[in-house]
Amino acid sequence: MTTDCWKSTHQKIEYMVATGHFIDQNWRLQKRVLSFVHIPPPRGGNDIADAIYKCLKEWEIEEKIFTISVDNASYNDKALKRLKEIFSRVRKLVCGGRLFHVRCCAHILNLLVRDGLGTIDSVIGEVREAIKYLNNSEARLQRFSNYAHQLQIKDRKLVLDVPTRWNSTYDMLFVALKFKDVFPRFAESDPLFSHLPIDEEWEHVECVCEILKVFKDCTTIISGSDYPTSNLYLIEVFRVKVTLDKGAQSGNVFIRHMVTKMKEKFDKYWGECHLVMAIASVLDPRFKMKLVEFSFPSIYTDADKQIEEVKKALYMMYEEYLEIHDISVREATSPRSSCSGNTGLEKTPLGSGWEAFGEFIKMQIWRNQKNQN
């Protein structure tokens, strides 16, 4: 289950949206909006927890929830802590509940990027205002386009960002870089044009865009909504960490300063092993434990300890699922009462075929081992 809060621009009211994600009988990922409810302020952790639990009760799926993914707001931490306590009373949570609360990877990446963009906030503002100035007049756009053609720049038009969406800000800066030589020419012909980043600022924008491209690619992959992506998280987080480590060793003081802030945020949210991310990659037959063993030394300072935690969690999950399987087999092989009424039918062990099949498998294994010896 995933949940997030959304604010209506027109109504000035915040809603909580809860979405259920599940695999159908054809092994296809499905998702359904389960709840779209207004939670009046002041909104706290208990309010969020109550709204989520009420939603699950209404759909009668409170015993089927595996994980709940939320962003990193403090009230969500309180809400998930309370929900975890509630669910633990009525059923056993997988892996001791360590997989119940999942922090949204896309939101963590968003926080990292915002710290990075904050270091060039003044430059971003200059570029944004410059594009707005051009867009306000068709004649200005035409003159700007003419200068671009003179410089043989055949790229697409300028892009204006949505300030609340960092990926659109990246797109705006990336495209503006292609026209950086056009802006000074346009400024010479228009005395009212005052938003002109200097060469050093353009260099900063270029360095930031190189780093942000990695984040954008990662966000695109892990935010895929039409296919399961959790098995791909670990390798993408590894790419982010390697990029930050490289930036921290850059000879550019500006980049080092920017990356230091981003690394602090990275360690804050991924300082402890992200079990869902690790286990999902292990269950991918292309990776198994090798990807964990490869990536963890770059992500964690105590890599050996974190790798051991993943192994323990895997064994714990295996034992839990084995117990569930054994119970289901015992139920299937136990004698069932006959049909009601005087039918003359005796009680029949309906699941006895499973026992015979199990003995057959054991015999096959024994014969193979004997032949090898």
Side-chain angles (χ1 to χ4, degrees):
M1 179 180 180
T2 58
T3 182
D4 200 1
C5 290
W6 170 80
K7 186 173 183 178
S8 169
T9 305
H10 301 290
Q11 294 178 300
K12 307 298 182 183
I13 295 176
E14 287 196 0
Y15 294 89
M16 187 192 77
V17 185
T19 308
H21 307 259
F22 60 95
I23 304 296
D24 66 16
Q25 60 185 3
N26 295 318
W27 289 94
R28 293 177 180 172
L29 179 64
Q30 302 286 345
K31 67 175 182 178
R32 301 289 186 274
V33 174
L34 306 177
S35 178
F36 192 87
V37 59
H38 168 53
I39 303 179
R43 182 181 66 249
N46 290 340
D47 301 315
I48 296 291
D50 292 342
I52 292 176
Y53 191 72
K54 180 181 178 182
C55 167
L56 298 178
K57 288 288 289 184
E58 289 176 349
W59 285 95
E60 298 181 357
I61 56 174
E62 67 273 15
E63 295 186 1
K64 296 183 178 181
I65 295 298
F66 183 75
T67 63
I68 300 181
S69 297
V70 293
D71 64 27
N72 299 283
S74 58
Y75 58 76
N76 280 330
D77 290 340
K78 295 178 181 178
L80 268 294
K81 182 179 180 181
R82 177 173 177 178
L83 286 171
K84 186 176 178 180
E85 293 172 351
I86 294 173
F87 283 110
S88 298
R89 294 174 185 172
V90 295
R91 66 184 177 92
K92 185 178 180 181
L93 297 177
V94 175
C95 206
R98 296 175 66 188
L99 306 180
F100 184 74
H101 178 187
V102 177
R103 297 184 182 276
C104 176
C105 288
H107 186 248
I108 294 175
L109 291 177
N110 181 62
L111 294 175
L112 295 178
V113 171
R114 291 203 175 282
D115 278 356
L117 290 176
T119 60
I120 58 167
D121 190 56
S122 60
V123 184
I124 294 173
E126 283 290 286
V127 174
R128 184 182 295 126
E129 292 303 318
I131 296 174
K132 285 182 180 179
Y133 181 82
L134 292 169
N135 286 344
N136 285 336
S137 168
E138 186 176 351
R140 295 170 191 165
L141 284 174
Q142 187 59 52
R143 288 210 317 273
F144 188 88
S145 179
N146 292 337
Y147 288 130
H149 284 302
Q150 290 175 12
L151 295 174
Q152 297 184 351
I153 298 175
K154 300 178 181 179
D155 211 85
R156 54 182 174 167
K157 296 180 180 180
L158 292 168
V159 175
L160 185 62
D161 72 332
V162 178
T164 56
R165 296 176 56 193
W166 74 264
N167 52 338
S168 69
T169 301
Y170 163 78
D171 291 335
M172 179 184 73
L173 296 176
F174 181 77
V175 174
L177 274 171
K178 298 180 181 296
F179 293 94
K180 68 176 183 179
D181 294 329
V182 181
F183 285 102
R185 287 207 175 192
F186 179 83
E188 292 174 359
S189 66
D190 190 332
L192 297 178
F193 184 71
S194 58
H195 305 286
L196 183 64
I198 61 177
D199 290 341
E200 183 182 5
E201 290 175 327
W202 280 120
E203 290 176 3
H204 290 167
V205 170
E206 189 170 2
C207 292
V208 169
C209 283
E210 288 179 4
I211 294 176
L212 292 189
K213 186 180 185 306
V214 176
F215 282 82
K216 183 179 181 181
D217 293 343
C218 294
T219 301
T220 300
I221 290 173
I222 70 175
S223 299
S225 59
D226 297 327
Y227 53 90
T229 58
S230 56
N231 58 312
L232 305 176
Y233 287 8
L234 183 56
I235 193 65
E236 296 305 321
V237 171
F238 167 77
R239 284 181 61 198
V240 168
K241 185 59 162 61
V242 169
T243 300
L244 293 179
D245 288 342
K246 184 179 178 180
Q249 299 173 0
S250 172
N252 188 320
V253 177
F254 168 79
I255 290 297
R256 285 207 308 271
H257 174 67
M258 179 190 77
V259 168
T260 298
K261 291 186 176 182
M262 299 173 76
K263 284 191 68 174
E264 289 174 359
K265 194 67 64 81
F266 183 98
D267 293 335
K268 176 181 178 180
Y269 291 113
W270 276 314
E272 296 182 2
C273 178
H274 196 299
L275 274 181
V276 169
M277 180 171 64
I279 291 174
S281 66
V282 172
L283 295 179
D284 189 321
R286 299 170 297 174
F287 305 142
K288 300 185 179 180
M289 277 296 297
K290 293 300 181 182
L291 181 58
V292 172
E293 294 167 353
F294 163 75
S295 60
F296 270 35
S298 296
I299 299 176
Y300 303 107
T301 55
D302 56 343
D304 292 339
K305 178 183 176 182
Q306 299 289 3
I307 291 172
E308 193 61 31
E309 286 296 314
V310 175
K311 291 181 179 178
K312 288 180 180 178
L314 283 165
Y315 283 120
M316 183 183 296
M317 288 185 68
Y318 174 79
E319 294 295 336
E320 291 174 358
Y321 277 100
L322 182 63
E323 181 181 349
I324 295 172
H325 174 266
D326 289 345
I327 292 173
S328 64
V329 170
R330 284 197 298 270
E331 291 177 349
T333 58
S334 62
R336 304 292 179 88
S337 59
S338 61
C339 298
S340 59
N342 297 324
T343 60
L345 296 176
E346 297 179 355
K347 294 181 179 180
T348 305
L350 299 177
S352 59
W354 287 109
E355 290 183 351
F357 178 69
E359 292 300 322
F360 169 77
I361 294 298
K362 290 179 182 178
M363 184 59 67
Q364 290 291 319
I365 294 174
W366 178 79
R367 286 176 179 172
N368 290 336
Q369 291 176 342
K370 185 177 180 181
N371 292 334
Q372 290 175 0
N373 295 330

